Amino acid sequence: MRMVDLIIKKREGNELTDEEIRFWIKGYTEGSIPDYQSSAMAMAILFKGMTKREIATLTDAMEYSGEVIDLSDIAGVKVDKHSTGGVGDKTSIVLGPMVAACGAKLAKMSGRGLGHTGGTLDKLESIPGMNIAKTKEEMVKQVNDIGIAIIGQTKSLVPADKKLYALRDVTGTVESIPLIAASVMSKKLASGTDAILLDVTVGEGAFMKNMESARELARTMVNIGKSLNRNTVAVLSDMSEPLGRAVGNSLEIKEAIASLQGNGPEDLMELCFTSGSIMLVQANICKTREEAKAKLKSVIEDGSAFEKLCQMVEAQGGDVDCIRHPEKFEVSSKAIEIRAEKTGYIKKCDALEIGVAAMKLGAGRETLEDKIDMSAGVYLTNKVGAYVEKGDLLCTAYTNKDNYEEAINQIKGAYEIVDEVVYAQPVIREIVD
Ligand code: URA
């Protein structure tokens, strides 16, 4: 078999056989198929798509490209969640402790941020001392002890995706439904969970820009999960503006702490209550989503969800004192206020523009080698739907850089203020199950 023939076959819109897909993934993982041929294949798939069978085979080939984790040493139903990425998305850090405080078992392997989207691991690492490099055995023990662990993906988990995702990121081939579906589901299946809650983001700051494509991605992933006997549900959530008010690593940890203490922003809490209620039903802890929502509210009110975060941080070597006293987090040397240039209603607070600006302020990486400034980012005082008067504070940009003009101009351009009343999109757009 020659890789060039498979590229041409897909380029012409033909269906690849199972053997051909496995040949590509095996060869690419082992190094016998070079990056340039894999990027040509990814581009052909982006343009020509894949059938259900091709997507199922691609997912399976990727899942088994490395270690497949067995979590059977953890008692009970294991639940996991995965977001397709966004700006200000600290959901796992709030939702994880919430569901664990209700008795669910969450053994989560997360990734890092790249480009304009943030990553849970980077956010957790802004907590001094926090260790995300635990072994599988340590993770299993931690979940058995306290119900939750969020760690980095082990090197041997889905190596095909590690290579392919990095390649797609620099070849303009991320936004392909078959490739995203196989990337997400191969990781979730290989990490050994019983039930999967998918958060499919939609809007300017997400890979799926409209409801139609988000729905198709959600349906594709739910079908893959179900066909392999994993209880899989997808929530379609709005990412036209950032989630919550904080964008940037330690800023987002501080917002997660406030959220677990009952002072979270409305959109973030709505997403956590809806996703969490689905997860508690998937874990057989509650019979209905309504009952689960009430349980989730109670663990915020009685402080047990916040204590669960403290337990997780302590178990992973992090400084719990910082969690109890978030004013101890380092702050950046510069805080630049951005104010409304006219009176009116905020129509737009573009998640992509804010995400890219936050990255330029130091909060994200342009390449995998870049070092992150944990204190950099943007705090949004006003978001879509708010009425502001000329001169009111829209947001504050935090940075340690001297050269920040470009990022500030980008943030200014992300906002649009109009005379007519504007209503923000509900954060939950749809549920696919
Ligand atoms: N998240 C993933 O894990 N993979 C993708 O391809 C896109 C988002």
Side-chain angles (χ1 to χ4, degrees), residues 82-85 153 161 165 168 173-185 187-188 207 217:
H82 188 94
S83 160
T84 53
Q153 278 153 27
D161 184 62
Y165 192 77
R168 287 166 55 213
T173 50
V174 172
E175 291 91 343
S176 148
I177 289 175
L179 294 178
I180 296 178
S183 161
V184 170
M185 292 308 289
K187 283 180 289 205
K188 293 296 105 179
F207 295 128
L217 174 61

Tab-separated table of all heavy atoms in Angstrom, residues 82-85 153 161 165 168 173-185 187-188 207 217, ligand 1:
chain	number	residue	atom	x	y	z
A	82	HIS	N	-15.670	16.272	28.286
A	82	HIS	CA	-14.683	16.836	27.363
A	82	HIS	C	-15.322	18.002	26.629
A	82	HIS	O	-16.452	17.910	26.158
A	82	HIS	CB	-14.239	15.773	26.350
A	82	HIS	CG	-13.087	16.212	25.502
A	82	HIS	ND1	-11.779	15.922	25.830
A	82	HIS	CD2	-13.033	16.944	24.362
A	82	HIS	CE1	-10.971	16.452	24.918
A	82	HIS	NE2	-11.715	17.076	24.016
A	83	SER	N	-14.576	19.094	26.557
A	83	SER	CA	-15.083	20.250	25.813
A	83	SER	C	-14.302	20.354	24.515
A	83	SER	O	-13.106	20.049	24.476
A	83	SER	CB	-14.891	21.516	26.652
A	83	SER	OG	-14.933	22.646	25.820
A	84	THR	N	-14.972	20.803	23.451
A	84	THR	CA	-14.255	20.960	22.183
A	84	THR	C	-13.480	22.277	22.157
A	84	THR	O	-12.913	22.638	21.144
A	84	THR	CB	-15.205	20.850	20.969
A	84	THR	OG1	-16.292	21.759	21.154
A	84	THR	CG2	-15.724	19.445	20.805
A	85	GLY	N	-13.454	22.987	23.270
A	85	GLY	CA	-12.532	24.118	23.397
A	85	GLY	C	-13.201	25.471	23.343
A	85	GLY	O	-14.180	25.671	22.619
A	153	GLN	N	-2.699	14.010	30.186
A	153	GLN	CA	-2.740	12.753	29.439
A	153	GLN	C	-1.367	12.106	29.484
A	153	GLN	O	-0.368	12.800	29.251
A	153	GLN	CB	-3.098	13.034	27.987
A	153	GLN	CG	-4.577	13.199	27.776
A	153	GLN	CD	-4.876	14.077	26.578
A	153	GLN	OE1	-4.078	14.162	25.657
A	153	GLN	NE2	-6.007	14.723	26.601
A	161	ASP	N	-3.134	10.802	18.170
A	161	ASP	CA	-3.780	12.107	18.270
A	161	ASP	C	-2.785	13.193	18.652
A	161	ASP	O	-2.894	14.325	18.188
A	161	ASP	CB	-4.923	12.071	19.297
A	161	ASP	CG	-5.663	13.408	19.325
A	161	ASP	OD1	-6.240	13.774	18.281
A	161	ASP	OD2	-5.614	14.107	20.352
A	165	TYR	N	-2.950	15.992	16.083
A	165	TYR	CA	-3.560	17.255	16.525
A	165	TYR	C	-2.576	18.410	16.359
A	165	TYR	O	-2.940	19.487	15.888
A	165	TYR	CB	-4.062	17.145	17.966
A	165	TYR	CG	-4.929	18.329	18.322
A	165	TYR	CD1	-6.239	18.401	17.857
A	165	TYR	CD2	-4.437	19.388	19.047
A	165	TYR	CE1	-7.031	19.497	18.124
A	165	TYR	CE2	-5.225	20.498	19.321
A	165	TYR	CZ	-6.519	20.534	18.862
A	165	TYR	OH	-7.298	21.640	19.113
A	168	ARG	N	-2.431	19.184	12.682
A	168	ARG	CA	-3.641	19.871	12.211
A	168	ARG	C	-3.637	21.325	12.646
A	168	ARG	O	-4.090	22.209	11.921
A	168	ARG	CB	-4.884	19.168	12.767
A	168	ARG	CG	-5.168	17.829	12.099
A	168	ARG	CD	-6.179	17.032	12.888
A	168	ARG	NE	-7.402	17.762	13.112
A	168	ARG	CZ	-8.165	17.649	14.210
A	168	ARG	NH1	-7.838	16.815	15.179
A	168	ARG	NH2	-9.255	18.344	14.341
A	173	THR	N	-6.205	22.403	9.519
A	173	THR	CA	-7.096	21.249	9.345
A	173	THR	C	-7.775	20.832	10.661
A	173	THR	O	-8.155	19.677	10.824
A	173	THR	CB	-6.331	20.047	8.737
A	173	THR	OG1	-5.137	19.844	9.479
A	173	THR	CG2	-5.977	20.285	7.292
A	174	VAL	N	-7.908	21.798	11.578
A	174	VAL	CA	-8.594	21.453	12.836
A	174	VAL	C	-10.097	21.323	12.594
A	174	VAL	O	-10.733	20.374	13.044
A	174	VAL	CB	-8.301	22.505	13.942
A	174	VAL	CG1	-9.174	22.249	15.159
A	174	VAL	CG2	-6.836	22.451	14.346
A	175	GLU	N	-10.674	22.253	11.843
A	175	GLU	CA	-12.142	22.351	11.756
A	175	GLU	C	-12.792	21.314	10.837
A	175	GLU	O	-13.542	21.639	9.927
A	175	GLU	CB	-12.541	23.762	11.295
A	175	GLU	CG	-12.269	24.840	12.315
A	175	GLU	CD	-10.901	25.474	12.180
A	175	GLU	OE1	-10.019	24.891	11.511
A	175	GLU	OE2	-10.699	26.560	12.734
A	176	SER	N	-12.496	20.061	11.068
A	176	SER	CA	-13.099	18.989	10.280
A	176	SER	C	-13.881	18.093	11.242
A	176	SER	O	-13.318	17.597	12.227
A	176	SER	CB	-11.982	18.178	9.593
A	176	SER	OG	-12.346	16.834	9.463
A	177	ILE	N	-15.160	17.886	10.971
A	177	ILE	CA	-15.990	17.099	11.891
A	177	ILE	C	-15.444	15.671	12.083
A	177	ILE	O	-15.278	15.236	13.227
A	177	ILE	CB	-17.471	17.149	11.455
A	177	ILE	CG1	-17.996	18.570	11.741
A	177	ILE	CG2	-18.316	16.083	12.169
A	177	ILE	CD1	-19.392	18.858	11.281
A	178	PRO	N	-15.119	14.921	11.023
A	178	PRO	CA	-14.584	13.572	11.254
A	178	PRO	C	-13.296	13.588	12.087
A	178	PRO	O	-13.109	12.747	12.962
A	178	PRO	CB	-14.289	13.049	9.847
A	178	PRO	CG	-15.109	13.878	8.939
A	178	PRO	CD	-15.277	15.210	9.585
A	179	LEU	N	-12.414	14.568	11.815
A	179	LEU	CA	-11.136	14.590	12.541
A	179	LEU	C	-11.324	15.003	13.997
A	179	LEU	O	-10.674	14.451	14.894
A	179	LEU	CB	-10.134	15.512	11.829
A	179	LEU	CG	-9.689	15.042	10.439
A	179	LEU	CD1	-8.727	16.048	9.810
A	179	LEU	CD2	-9.028	13.667	10.495
A	180	ILE	N	-12.206	15.967	14.270
A	180	ILE	CA	-12.454	16.355	15.673
A	180	ILE	C	-13.120	15.200	16.402
A	180	ILE	O	-12.734	14.846	17.525
A	180	ILE	CB	-13.330	17.636	15.778
A	180	ILE	CG1	-12.607	18.847	15.182
A	180	ILE	CG2	-13.691	17.915	17.246
A	180	ILE	CD1	-13.410	20.148	15.205
A	181	ALA	N	-14.137	14.601	15.772
A	181	ALA	CA	-14.877	13.509	16.430
A	181	ALA	C	-13.931	12.358	16.784
A	181	ALA	O	-13.946	11.846	17.908
A	181	ALA	CB	-16.000	13.013	15.520
A	182	ALA	N	-13.064	11.965	15.848
A	182	ALA	CA	-12.140	10.849	16.114
A	182	ALA	C	-11.112	11.245	17.175
A	182	ALA	O	-10.756	10.439	18.037
A	182	ALA	CB	-11.443	10.430	14.821
A	183	SER	N	-10.658	12.497	17.137
A	183	SER	CA	-9.667	12.967	18.112
A	183	SER	C	-10.239	12.927	19.527
A	183	SER	O	-9.639	12.375	20.451
A	183	SER	CB	-9.251	14.400	17.727
A	183	SER	OG	-8.664	15.086	18.801
A	184	VAL	N	-11.426	13.502	19.702
A	184	VAL	CA	-12.043	13.566	21.034
A	184	VAL	C	-12.411	12.169	21.516
A	184	VAL	O	-12.053	11.747	22.619
A	184	VAL	CB	-13.306	14.465	21.002
A	184	VAL	CG1	-14.096	14.345	22.302
A	184	VAL	CG2	-12.924	15.923	20.742
A	185	MET	N	-13.123	11.412	20.674
A	185	MET	CA	-13.661	10.124	21.135
A	185	MET	C	-12.555	9.080	21.337
A	185	MET	O	-12.646	8.251	22.233
A	185	MET	CB	-14.736	9.611	20.175
A	185	MET	CG	-15.996	10.466	20.178
A	185	MET	SD	-16.691	10.762	21.833
A	185	MET	CE	-17.345	9.150	22.245
A	187	LYS	N	-9.647	9.638	22.546
A	187	LYS	CA	-9.049	9.930	23.862
A	187	LYS	C	-9.986	9.510	24.988
A	187	LYS	O	-9.566	8.944	25.989
A	187	LYS	CB	-8.731	11.424	23.976
A	187	LYS	CG	-7.481	11.809	23.204
A	187	LYS	CD	-7.164	13.282	23.319
A	187	LYS	CE	-8.137	14.135	22.567
A	187	LYS	NZ	-7.689	15.423	22.123
A	188	LYS	N	-11.266	9.812	24.816
A	188	LYS	CA	-12.228	9.458	25.874
A	188	LYS	C	-12.346	7.948	26.007
A	188	LYS	O	-12.423	7.415	27.105
A	188	LYS	CB	-13.601	10.067	25.588
A	188	LYS	CG	-13.658	11.577	25.672
A	188	LYS	CD	-13.383	12.119	27.049
A	188	LYS	CE	-12.012	12.726	27.173
A	188	LYS	NZ	-11.700	13.291	28.488
A	207	PHE	N	-14.500	25.962	17.454
A	207	PHE	CA	-14.171	25.446	16.122
A	207	PHE	C	-15.429	25.341	15.266
A	207	PHE	O	-15.371	25.480	14.051
A	207	PHE	CB	-13.491	24.080	16.232
A	207	PHE	CG	-12.148	24.154	16.922
A	207	PHE	CD1	-11.838	23.341	17.986
A	207	PHE	CD2	-11.193	25.074	16.501
A	207	PHE	CE1	-10.607	23.422	18.622
A	207	PHE	CE2	-9.962	25.169	17.128
A	207	PHE	CZ	-9.671	24.340	18.192
A	217	LEU	N	-21.448	17.556	14.616
A	217	LEU	CA	-20.312	17.039	15.387
A	217	LEU	C	-20.816	16.292	16.625
A	217	LEU	O	-20.347	15.191	16.935
A	217	LEU	CB	-19.381	18.196	15.794
A	217	LEU	CG	-18.223	17.823	16.718
A	217	LEU	CD1	-17.291	16.805	16.072
A	217	LEU	CD2	-17.416	19.073	17.124
B	1	URA	N1	-10.452	18.983	20.932
B	1	URA	C1	-9.833	17.805	20.696
B	1	URA	O1	-9.495	17.065	21.615
B	1	URA	N2	-9.577	17.465	19.399
B	1	URA	C2	-9.924	18.232	18.357
B	1	URA	O2	-9.677	17.849	17.243
B	1	URA	C3	-10.569	19.468	18.622
B	1	URA	C4	-10.834	19.820	19.925
